[in-house]
Amino acid sequence: MMPENKRCLGCMKEIGSNSVCPFCGYIEGSPHLPAYLEPGTILQERYVVGKLLSYNGEGATYIAFDQSLESIVELREYLPDTLANREDDGRQVHIIAGCETQYKALMSDFIELSNSIAKFRTLTHVVQVYEIFEANNTVYAIHEHIDGGISLRQYLMENAGELNWEETARMFTPLMTTLGVLHGSNIIHRGISPETILVTKRGELKLDGFCISACRAAKTELSAQLFAGYAAPEQYSTSSWHGPWTDVYALAAVLYKVLTGTMPPEAMSRSINDNLLDPHTLNPAIPKHVSSTIMDALRLSPDNRIQTMRELSSRLLQPVVTNDPIAVHTPEEDEQEEEPKSNKKYWLVATGITGAILLVVAVLIILFVLGDSSKDVSSGSGISIPDYSSSSKAAVSDEGQYYGMPNLVGQVYETVKVNNDYTSILDITVKEEYNENYAKGIICDQSIKVDTQIKLKTKVTVTVSKGSRFPKIPDYYGLKKEEYIAELERRGIKNYKIVEEEAPGRDNGYISRLDRDPGTTIDISGSETLTIYVINNPVSSAPESSDVSSENGYDFGTDFGYGNYGGYAY
């Protein structure tokens, strides 16, 4: 039985007598997965359960309505699919024979985690837990519903894929402080990613997606939910400790994505071939100290990584500059700093004069020893270009006429072409080719071997990677046409065609299917074309808005009438 005022079971908004929700497009009476609670179920004679929002190895999350407080909430059900399943009555949870001990132990972990989060009612950057209760041989937790909130992933897609450092610092500084408080109470998230960070209508961040540890580590009793590119390497190991440093890695990976628009490589692939590029290399607008801090927070070894959120935050917000809105100086601090700065200025001047004199003397001695004393020293003749290491810059020979060919492979071409250390001695030409081992824009070969002696302005051809010739086709679930095309082109897939088709009950503009499976590869060097089918219903039959997604082979828009299915957990 529904409340007197009819509400949509897809978004819990009042819809009057409509059978199709004008807000989210949910169709009344849509079928549901029998493994999960049926929409319309009432728990504790208070909570009306709506559609399934997401599930993972720990349990399921539903939209719900609190009839006592008349507010929309979200309900999290402990339901580990490897240990239990649903009884035929659609409510009671049945524990698989032989799994009773594990089921109860992990249920205790679920209750403890929920209770711990519920204590932090003053932390405004965490999705709140309001109540925990037991029923149907399992446990439920009532969570805050963020009205109008979207995932950080979606927020980035709506903002050109990346943010500048000023906006990023404003948004993430409170979140880092919040995580520091949680870590102080031994609460480790282990699943920080653009999917589990929500952006409110005010542009503030809220941390979502808390799970028990068994769901965020490989080879446990539960089906692991690890976010590739954001999960720390120790989460793939059965013998490594998790701690605040685990969340440091994940948050740094999120910052990397936010500032560069590029997701870091998965930790396991980095352990084999660590080709993680410095963020400043990908986006020169990123302050260098921010870039180096992120790289230190993304170290594969937990022992060598930044250990705490406090350290991460303090390093990201340095150095202090006068026009930085994050930094605040008091007049007293400025007065205390004035005298040391003045002394330092005179010391630098004196040191510079002394150094210049010593340099001139050294040059005269060298010229005298080499028998070149007759040359005009003031003209600079006889002085060679400074020495460079062959690993990154050109090395000059003793005679000053030949140089050691520098190693350009692995460097970003856009950086190399404006680096005077290279352009002053090399005449660089470029050719491009697809390469499976180097990312787009990275130099993967050079026509002259490293350390070969070359003369000034020697011509060298560098081969720049165009990226993989066989990129994987991305998932389309829950994406509109424009969003999906942007993701295709980011991967270099430009040969595609759009075909419109009707799909009653689903939203116009969303992708309904492809002519091949996501995750398969496509050859982008030739004429191979990807066909994208986009929903275009007659106006009268198309709902106003909803997100359509899919998981485990089910099409939640067509087969079960679901919208906004993210596939991630609290």
Side-chain angles (χ1 to χ4, degrees), residues 79 104 135 138 152 164 190 229 309 328 469 485 510 522 524:
L79 185 62
K104 292 181 180 179
T138 188
L152 179 61
N164 60 39
R190 299 179 178 87
M309 282 294 163
V328 179
R469 176 182 168 183
I485 289 175
Y510 283 85
I522 182 171
I524 60 176

Side-chain angles (χ1 to χ4, degrees), residues 122-128 171 174-175 178 204-207:
T122 58
L123 294 182
T124 58
H125 295 278
V126 172
V127 171
Q128 300 294 310
M171 296 176 72
L175 187 62
T178 296
E204 297 175 340
L205 301 183
K206 277 186 175 282
L207 187 59

Side-chain angles (χ1 to χ4, degrees), residues 192-500:
I192 299 172
S193 77
E195 296 287 358
T196 57
I197 297 175
L198 301 180
V199 184
T200 69
K201 290 186 289 188
R202 298 175 57 185
E204 297 175 340
L205 301 183
K206 277 186 175 282
L207 187 59
D208 197 3
F210 288 89
C211 262
I212 58 177
S213 61
C215 189
R216 294 282 167 73
K219 300 178 182 179
T220 67
E221 305 94 327
L222 303 184
S223 300
Q225 184 190 41
L226 300 178
F227 295 93
Y230 305 98
E234 58 266 24
Q235 292 179 260
Y236 295 90
S237 170
T238 57
S239 59
S240 298
W241 289 98
H242 299 179
W245 52 88
T246 304
D247 284 349
V248 166
Y249 184 99
L251 191 66
V254 171
L255 291 173
Y256 191 104
K257 168 68 174 177
V258 169
L259 293 170
T260 68
T262 302
M263 184 181 76
E266 187 176 3
M268 293 303 290
S269 66
R270 288 186 60 202
S271 65
I272 299 171
N273 177 26
D274 193 358
N275 56 357
L276 181 68
L277 295 174
D278 189 301
H280 182 77
T281 300
L282 296 174
N283 180 1
I286 300 172
K288 289 185 177 180
H289 78 280
V290 171
S291 183
S292 62
T293 298
I294 291 174
M295 292 296 284
D296 286 344
L298 286 174
R299 292 185 182 275
L300 293 174
S301 170
D303 293 336
N304 297 331
R305 193 184 307 155
I306 292 175
Q307 295 291 291
T308 66
M309 282 294 163
R310 182 175 181 179
E311 181 185 357
L312 177 65
S313 178
S314 63
R315 285 189 54 181
L316 286 171
L317 301 183
Q318 293 174 352
V320 176
V321 292
T322 55
N323 62 349
D324 187 347
I326 300 172
V328 179
H329 280 290
T330 64
E332 292 79 5
E333 289 174 333
D334 293 337
E335 289 177 3
Q336 292 173 358
E337 291 177 359
E338 175 127 13
E339 183 63 29
K341 286 181 180 179
S342 177
N343 292 340
K344 184 177 181 180
K345 178 179 70 175
Y346 290 118
W347 182 85
L348 289 172
V349 171
T351 302
I353 294 173
T354 303
I357 294 172
L358 291 174
L359 178 62
V360 171
V361 171
V363 169
L364 290 173
I365 292 173
I366 292 172
L367 292 177
F368 178 77
V369 171
L370 295 176
D372 291 337
S373 58
S374 62
K375 294 184 179 180
D376 183 3
V377 175
S378 64
S379 68
S381 59
I383 303 177
S384 64
I385 298 175
D387 290 345
Y388 297 115
S389 166
S390 63
S391 63
S392 60
K393 301 179 182 179
V396 64
S397 67
D398 294 337
E399 292 80 11
Q401 298 176 352
Y402 292 90
Y403 305 87
M405 178 64 201
N407 184 12
L408 304 179
V409 174
Q411 300 196 52
V412 179
Y413 172 67
E414 292 298 321
T415 301
V416 168
K417 75 177 185 180
V418 295
N419 189 329
N420 187 60
D421 292 330
Y422 302 129
T423 58
S424 62
I425 62 170
L426 298 172
D427 182 2
I428 303 174
T429 58
V430 179
K431 70 175 183 178
E432 294 183 318
E433 66 179 29
Y434 293 107
N435 191 290
E436 303 304 311
N437 298 318
Y438 290 88
K440 183 178 180 180
I442 306 299
I443 297 174
C444 53
D445 195 13
Q446 58 190 58
S447 60
I448 301 177
K449 293 183 178 180
V450 177
D451 292 333
T452 299
Q453 286 197 337
I454 58 174
K455 290 187 176 182
L456 199 64
K457 290 299 179 182
T458 293
K459 291 185 177 182
V460 60
T461 300
V462 297
T463 304
V464 178
S465 173
K466 294 168 64 176
S468 173
R469 176 182 168 183
F470 304 98
K472 290 184 178 180
I473 298 172
D475 287 342
Y476 62 86
Y477 308 124
L479 297 182
K480 291 185 176 180
K481 178 181 71 174
E482 296 78 10
E483 298 170 341
Y484 191 65
I485 289 175
E487 179 62 21
L488 287 178
E489 295 190 347
R490 187 184 72 80
R491 299 187 182 204
I493 304 173
K494 297 182 179 180
N495 291 337
Y496 55 83
K497 66 178 180 178
I498 305 295
V499 176
E500 295 183 343

Side-chain angles (χ1 to χ4, degrees), residues 144-185:
E144 176 186 14
H145 173 72
I146 310 301
D147 185 32
I150 60 175
S151 69
L152 179 61
R153 179 189 68 83
Q154 184 177 346
Y155 183 82
L156 290 175
M157 293 178 68
E158 295 175 0
N159 288 272
E162 61 186 60
L163 306 177
N164 60 39
W165 168 238
E166 289 72 22
E167 183 177 4
T168 301
R170 176 187 64 78
M171 296 176 72
F172 277 84
T173 299
L175 187 62
M176 287 187 284
T177 301
T178 296
L179 278 164
V181 174
L182 293 175
H183 291 165
S185 296

Side-chain angles (χ1 to χ4, degrees), residues 33 36 50-55 60-63 556 562-565:
L33 288 172
Y36 300 96
K51 74 174 182 180
L52 176 69
L53 297 177
S54 63
Y55 65 84
T61 300
Y62 311 83
I63 191 75
F556 282 77
Y562 290 141
N564 194 20
Y565 182 84

Side-chain angles (χ1 to χ4, degrees), residues 70-88:
E70 295 189 348
S71 62
I72 301 172
V73 295
E74 293 183 10
L75 181 141
R76 179 69 176 167
E77 179 183 39
Y78 171 67
L79 185 62
D81 56 5
T82 58
L83 306 177
N85 48 46
R86 186 78 60 189
E87 295 277 14
D88 292 339

